[in-house]
């Protein structure tokens, strides 16, 4: 018996090491426990507050339980002694009914108050809000700024220190819009408009994700929220309206031609237009290919060749030869299209 114990004890350092490793998983901009805006702060506070109440309850109950075990355990020589049997104690019954009621009331007051303030999408007096219409698709995100006449996808630009109001809907199934570092989440349902607001205090890129099982590639339905200074945001909207620079090489020009013949049925490259697939106006400025892959020409080429390898179940057909798609392109053609798309940048240094 003792040996067994010693053996288990040896695992303790390993357990500690793993806990330390896992505690390093919370990265800024990814974790709901390191919020970077008022909505996230309120939600994190609510989580910790309810956790504190729960911990107190567990400690008190655990103590009482242990006390009863020790106090009334069978002692040698007292095997036949039965402690005093009590049935129904009014004071105790009232006590353990009233305490949970009080705890729930303490929990309910801030929860209800915060729920209302977090769903308040009105414009604060004397301030401006940025409105974004979000449409979720299997498996990507469309962002439309109705007041700016801009539509984009996957990378969402927002100004810091500004209330951003989201109107959420879906083109197909139920998705859920979540930016752990800023707050959320809220369902995006087909045929319904849901609302949410967020604000980023600090500049940076925040990972967004879909938080509702929506199909094969649900876990890959990422997006990026790029919080930039209000001046940089103004510059970005001006750049977006100007559009991407013209292709700079013969290969990119060839790619543009192929793109116009093959891809424009689904993809717009003008920020004014919505399209069946993601709008690619600033594709060259993006952080990821298809929301998951690294933003390199190689990854883009394998995406065009067979997107299903990267994101199973996507609506984008395969264009590589021998991949089963209706329209096929040669490797050189795919390379040209990739060169053209990587050059679609609106941000010029
Ligand atoms: Cu969209 Cu999960």
């Amino acid at each position: 018996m003792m040996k067994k114990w010693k053996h288990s004890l040896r695992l303790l350092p390993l357990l500690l090491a793993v806990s330390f490793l896992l505690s390093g998983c919370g990265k800024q901009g990814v974790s709901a426990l390191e919020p970077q805006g008022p909505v996230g702060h309120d939600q994190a506070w609510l989580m910790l507050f309810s956790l504190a109440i729960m911990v107190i309850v567990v400690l008190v109950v655990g103590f009482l339980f242990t006390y009863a075990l020790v106090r009334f355990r069978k002692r040698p020589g007292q095997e036949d002694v039965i402690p005093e049997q009590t049935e129904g104690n009014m004071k105790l019954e009232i006590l353990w009914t009233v305490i949970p009621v009080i705890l729930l009331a303490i929990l309910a007051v801030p929860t209800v108050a915060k729920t209302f303030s977090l769903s308040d999408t009105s414009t604060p007096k004397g301030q401006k809000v940025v409105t974004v219409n979000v449409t979720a698709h299997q498996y990507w995100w469309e962002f439309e700024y109705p007041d700016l006449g801009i539509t984009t996808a996957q990378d969402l630009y927002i100004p810091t220190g500004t209330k951003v109001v989201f109107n959420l809907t879906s083109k197909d199934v139920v998705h859920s819009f979540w930016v752990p570092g800023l707050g959320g989440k809220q369902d995006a349902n087909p045929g319904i408009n849901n609302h949410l607001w967020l604000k980023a205090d600090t500049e940076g890129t925040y990972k967004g994700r879909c938080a509702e099982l929506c199909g094969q590639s649900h876990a890959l339905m990422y997006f990026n929220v790029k919080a930039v200074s209000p001046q940089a945001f103004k510059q970005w909207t001006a750049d977006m309206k100007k559009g991407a620079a013209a292709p700079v090489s013969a290969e990119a020009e060839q790619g543009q031609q192929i793109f116009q013949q093959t891809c424009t049925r689904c993809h717009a490259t003008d920020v004014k237009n919505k399209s069946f697939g993601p709008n690619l106006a600033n594709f060259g400025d993006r952080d990821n290919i298809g929301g998951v892959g690294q933003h390199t020409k190689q990854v883009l080429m394998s995406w065009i060749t067979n997107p299903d390898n990267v994101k199973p179940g996507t609506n984008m057909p395969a264009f590589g030869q021998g991949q089963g798609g209706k329209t096929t392109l040669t490797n050189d053609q795919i390379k040209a299209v990739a060169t053209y798309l990587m050059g679609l940048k609106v941000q010029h240094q």
Side-chain angles (χ1 to χ4, degrees):
M1 186 70 187
M2 204 56 198
K3 234 181 175 179
K4 247 189 183 171
W5 260 103
K6 272 189 182 159
H7 191 72
S8 315
L9 273 178
R10 252 184 266 157
L11 287 173
L12 199 66
L14 183 73
L15 195 72
L16 283 175
V18 170
S19 339
F20 272 118
L21 257 179
L22 287 176
S23 67
C25 286
K27 233 171 46 182
Q28 192 189 331
V30 185
S31 169
L33 293 174
E34 280 187 52
Q36 304 295 319
V39 173
H41 272 293
D42 281 1
Q43 292 178 334
W45 183 86
L46 264 185
M47 273 194 275
L48 294 177
F49 180 66
S50 41
L51 185 70
I53 291 183
M54 286 184 262
V55 167
I56 292 172
V57 171
V58 167
L59 285 180
V60 171
V61 172
F63 172 77
L64 290 177
F65 179 70
T66 318
Y67 174 78
L69 276 186
V70 174
R71 174 82 175 70
F72 301 107
R73 74 186 190 280
K74 193 154 82 174
R75 291 184 169 84
Q78 296 183 4
E79 280 86 357
D80 299 329
V81 180
I82 294 179
E84 190 197 338
Q85 301 296 296
T86 339
E87 227 172 272
N89 182 320
M90 199 48 120
K91 270 186 202 159
L92 268 182
E93 296 280 356
I94 292 177
L95 193 70
W96 64 49
T97 309
V98 168
I99 290 178
V101 169
I102 293 174
L103 286 181
L104 285 179
I106 292 175
L107 201 56
V109 172
T111 306
V112 172
K114 297 269 185 238
T115 304
F116 277 98
S117 78
L118 295 183
S119 58
D120 171 23
T121 52
S122 64
T123 307
K125 254 198 180 145
Q127 286 180 32
K128 273 187 185 167
V129 299
V130 171
T131 305
V132 183
N133 296 337
V134 179
T135 309
H137 301 251
Q138 280 172 319
Y139 301 94
W140 60 281
W141 300 87
E142 182 177 71
F143 304 116
E144 180 199 14
Y145 302 75
D147 304 327
L148 304 171
I150 290 176
T151 294
T152 185
Q154 291 303 94
D155 284 7
L156 169 72
Y157 286 75
I158 60 168
T160 53
T162 310
K163 184 172 179 177
V164 185
V165 172
F166 297 97
N167 303 314
L168 305 159
T169 191
S170 162
K171 258 272 143 62
D172 34 54
V173 299
V174 179
H175 304 267
S176 182
F177 179 88
W178 188 28
V179 191
L182 296 179
K185 54 205 179 253
Q186 182 71 265
D187 274 7
N189 303 324
I192 298 175
N193 247 314
N194 282 341
H195 308 283
L196 170 78
W197 72 273
L198 296 174
K199 191 194 262 184
D201 289 334
T202 35
E203 288 180 38
T205 300
Y206 303 97
K207 269 282 172 211
R209 61 191 53 188
C210 179
E212 183 74 59
L213 186 60
C214 57
Q216 246 183 320
S217 282
H218 152 71
L220 305 175
M221 199 170 153
Y222 288 108
F223 59 102
N224 296 305
V225 179
K226 296 184 167 176
V228 297
S229 70
Q231 296 93 303
F233 181 73
K234 222 174 156 191
Q235 183 64 45
W236 177 77
T237 56
D239 290 342
M240 280 295 269
K241 283 180 185 169
K242 262 190 273 163
V248 288
S249 67
E251 192 186 37
E253 243 172 69
Q254 189 209 344
Q256 185 181 30
Q257 276 174 17
I258 300 165
F259 181 88
Q260 280 165 356
Q261 287 156 12
T262 319
C263 314
T264 46
R265 259 169 289 168
C266 296
H267 292 285
T269 51
D270 185 318
V271 294
K272 290 196 286 290
N273 296 332
K274 288 186 172 192
S275 47
F276 177 74
N279 183 305
L280 301 177
N282 62 339
F283 185 84
D285 296 320
R286 297 254 174 93
D287 276 5
N288 298 101
I289 305 285
V292 278
Q294 276 192 315
H295 197 254
T296 64
K297 206 199 275 188
Q298 243 60 42
V299 176
L300 178 55
M301 281 175 66
S302 67
W303 170 264
I304 300 171
T305 304
N306 192 352
D308 227 50
N309 288 342
V310 184
K311 225 180 202 179
T314 173
N315 281 316
M316 166 131 166
F319 285 92
Q321 287 170 334
Q323 304 289 329
K326 276 186 195 146
T327 317
T328 59
L329 301 171
T330 64
N331 262 348
D332 283 347
Q333 286 175 314
I334 288 174
K335 186 158 169 262
V337 172
T339 306
Y340 162 66
L341 287 175
M342 293 302 276
L344 277 182
K345 295 181 183 204
V346 299
Q347 287 175 324
H348 316 287
Q349 268 86 42

PDB file of all heavy atoms in Angstrom, residues 208-220:
ATOM      1  N   GLY A 208     -10.708  35.891 -33.910  1.00  0.00           N
ATOM      2  CA  GLY A 208     -12.133  35.660 -33.776  1.00  0.00           C
ATOM      3  C   GLY A 208     -12.432  34.257 -34.247  1.00  0.00           C
ATOM      4  O   GLY A 208     -11.650  33.667 -35.002  1.00  0.00           O
ATOM      5  N   ARG A 209     -13.539  33.711 -33.786  1.00  0.00           N
ATOM      6  CA  ARG A 209     -13.851  32.351 -34.209  1.00  0.00           C
ATOM      7  C   ARG A 209     -15.358  32.120 -34.172  1.00  0.00           C
ATOM      8  O   ARG A 209     -16.108  32.881 -33.580  1.00  0.00           O
ATOM      9  CB  ARG A 209     -13.152  31.346 -33.323  1.00  0.00           C
ATOM     10  CG  ARG A 209     -13.569  31.446 -31.856  1.00  0.00           C
ATOM     11  CD  ARG A 209     -12.662  30.638 -31.000  1.00  0.00           C
ATOM     12  NE  ARG A 209     -11.269  31.012 -31.241  1.00  0.00           N
ATOM     13  CZ  ARG A 209     -10.236  30.366 -30.751  1.00  0.00           C
ATOM     14  NH1 ARG A 209     -10.416  29.319 -30.028  1.00  0.00           N
ATOM     15  NH2 ARG A 209      -9.011  30.781 -31.004  1.00  0.00           N
ATOM     16  N   CYS A 210     -15.756  31.017 -34.810  1.00  0.00           N
ATOM     17  CA  CYS A 210     -17.152  30.628 -34.758  1.00  0.00           C
ATOM     18  C   CYS A 210     -17.334  29.742 -33.538  1.00  0.00           C
ATOM     19  O   CYS A 210     -16.555  28.835 -33.298  1.00  0.00           O
ATOM     20  CB  CYS A 210     -17.515  29.867 -36.023  1.00  0.00           C
ATOM     21  SG  CYS A 210     -19.220  29.323 -36.031  1.00  0.00           S
ATOM     22  N   ALA A 211     -18.371  30.030 -32.761  1.00  0.00           N
ATOM     23  CA  ALA A 211     -18.552  29.302 -31.507  1.00  0.00           C
ATOM     24  C   ALA A 211     -19.820  28.454 -31.512  1.00  0.00           C
ATOM     25  O   ALA A 211     -20.398  28.178 -30.476  1.00  0.00           O
ATOM     26  CB  ALA A 211     -18.571  30.279 -30.339  1.00  0.00           C
ATOM     27  N   GLU A 212     -20.274  28.084 -32.704  1.00  0.00           N
ATOM     28  CA  GLU A 212     -21.464  27.236 -32.783  1.00  0.00           C
ATOM     29  C   GLU A 212     -21.186  26.179 -33.846  1.00  0.00           C
ATOM     30  O   GLU A 212     -20.855  26.517 -34.983  1.00  0.00           O
ATOM     31  CB  GLU A 212     -22.671  28.097 -33.191  1.00  0.00           C
ATOM     32  CG  GLU A 212     -23.980  27.359 -33.237  1.00  0.00           C
ATOM     33  CD  GLU A 212     -24.518  27.048 -31.852  1.00  0.00           C
ATOM     34  OE1 GLU A 212     -24.734  28.007 -31.086  1.00  0.00           O
ATOM     35  OE2 GLU A 212     -24.696  25.874 -31.552  1.00  0.00           O
ATOM     36  N   LEU A 213     -21.331  24.912 -33.468  1.00  0.00           N
ATOM     37  CA  LEU A 213     -21.037  23.835 -34.417  1.00  0.00           C
ATOM     38  C   LEU A 213     -21.866  24.021 -35.687  1.00  0.00           C
ATOM     39  O   LEU A 213     -23.094  24.013 -35.642  1.00  0.00           O
ATOM     40  CB  LEU A 213     -21.355  22.480 -33.777  1.00  0.00           C
ATOM     41  CG  LEU A 213     -20.961  21.258 -34.601  1.00  0.00           C
ATOM     42  CD1 LEU A 213     -19.465  21.249 -34.877  1.00  0.00           C
ATOM     43  CD2 LEU A 213     -21.386  19.986 -33.921  1.00  0.00           C
ATOM     44  N   CYS A 214     -21.176  24.236 -36.824  1.00  0.00           N
ATOM     45  CA  CYS A 214     -21.902  24.613 -38.033  1.00  0.00           C
ATOM     46  C   CYS A 214     -21.543  23.735 -39.215  1.00  0.00           C
ATOM     47  O   CYS A 214     -21.937  24.003 -40.337  1.00  0.00           O
ATOM     48  CB  CYS A 214     -21.622  26.082 -38.354  1.00  0.00           C
ATOM     49  SG  CYS A 214     -19.878  26.432 -38.540  1.00  0.00           S
ATOM     50  N   GLY A 215     -20.799  22.674 -38.986  1.00  0.00           N
ATOM     51  CA  GLY A 215     -20.444  21.794 -40.092  1.00  0.00           C
ATOM     52  C   GLY A 215     -19.009  21.317 -39.965  1.00  0.00           C
ATOM     53  O   GLY A 215     -18.338  21.547 -38.952  1.00  0.00           O
ATOM     54  N   GLN A 216     -18.564  20.655 -41.027  1.00  0.00           N
ATOM     55  CA  GLN A 216     -17.256  20.007 -41.063  1.00  0.00           C
ATOM     56  C   GLN A 216     -16.102  20.907 -40.636  1.00  0.00           C
ATOM     57  O   GLN A 216     -15.218  20.483 -39.925  1.00  0.00           O
ATOM     58  CB  GLN A 216     -17.012  19.557 -42.504  1.00  0.00           C
ATOM     59  CG  GLN A 216     -16.960  18.065 -42.668  1.00  0.00           C
ATOM     60  CD  GLN A 216     -16.648  17.731 -44.110  1.00  0.00           C
ATOM     61  OE1 GLN A 216     -17.157  18.370 -45.044  1.00  0.00           O
ATOM     62  NE2 GLN A 216     -15.811  16.741 -44.307  1.00  0.00           N
ATOM     63  N   SER A 217     -16.097  22.140 -41.130  1.00  0.00           N
ATOM     64  CA  SER A 217     -14.950  23.011 -40.864  1.00  0.00           C
ATOM     65  C   SER A 217     -15.267  24.086 -39.833  1.00  0.00           C
ATOM     66  O   SER A 217     -14.660  25.154 -39.830  1.00  0.00           O
ATOM     67  CB  SER A 217     -14.449  23.638 -42.163  1.00  0.00           C
ATOM     68  OG  SER A 217     -13.694  22.701 -42.881  1.00  0.00           O
ATOM     69  N   HIS A 218     -16.205  23.791 -38.959  1.00  0.00           N
ATOM     70  CA  HIS A 218     -16.554  24.749 -37.894  1.00  0.00           C
ATOM     71  C   HIS A 218     -15.322  25.206 -37.121  1.00  0.00           C
ATOM     72  O   HIS A 218     -15.128  26.390 -36.865  1.00  0.00           O
ATOM     73  CB  HIS A 218     -17.576  24.103 -36.953  1.00  0.00           C
ATOM     74  CG  HIS A 218     -17.532  24.610 -35.566  1.00  0.00           C
ATOM     75  ND1 HIS A 218     -17.958  25.875 -35.233  1.00  0.00           N
ATOM     76  CD2 HIS A 218     -17.071  24.047 -34.416  1.00  0.00           C
ATOM     77  CE1 HIS A 218     -17.780  26.052 -33.920  1.00  0.00           C
ATOM     78  NE2 HIS A 218     -17.252  24.965 -33.417  1.00  0.00           N
ATOM     79  N   ALA A 219     -14.458  24.236 -36.797  1.00  0.00           N
ATOM     80  CA  ALA A 219     -13.284  24.559 -35.972  1.00  0.00           C
ATOM     81  C   ALA A 219     -12.274  25.408 -36.726  1.00  0.00           C
ATOM     82  O   ALA A 219     -11.335  25.931 -36.145  1.00  0.00           O
ATOM     83  CB  ALA A 219     -12.626  23.276 -35.465  1.00  0.00           C
ATOM     84  N   LEU A 220     -12.445  25.535 -38.059  1.00  0.00           N
ATOM     85  CA  LEU A 220     -11.488  26.302 -38.856  1.00  0.00           C
ATOM     86  C   LEU A 220     -12.073  27.653 -39.273  1.00  0.00           C
ATOM     87  O   LEU A 220     -11.507  28.355 -40.089  1.00  0.00           O
ATOM     88  CB  LEU A 220     -11.088  25.505 -40.107  1.00  0.00           C
ATOM     89  CG  LEU A 220     -10.529  24.105 -39.840  1.00  0.00           C
ATOM     90  CD1 LEU A 220     -10.289  23.374 -41.153  1.00  0.00           C
ATOM     91  CD2 LEU A 220      -9.238  24.205 -39.046  1.00  0.00           C
TER      92      LEU A 220
END
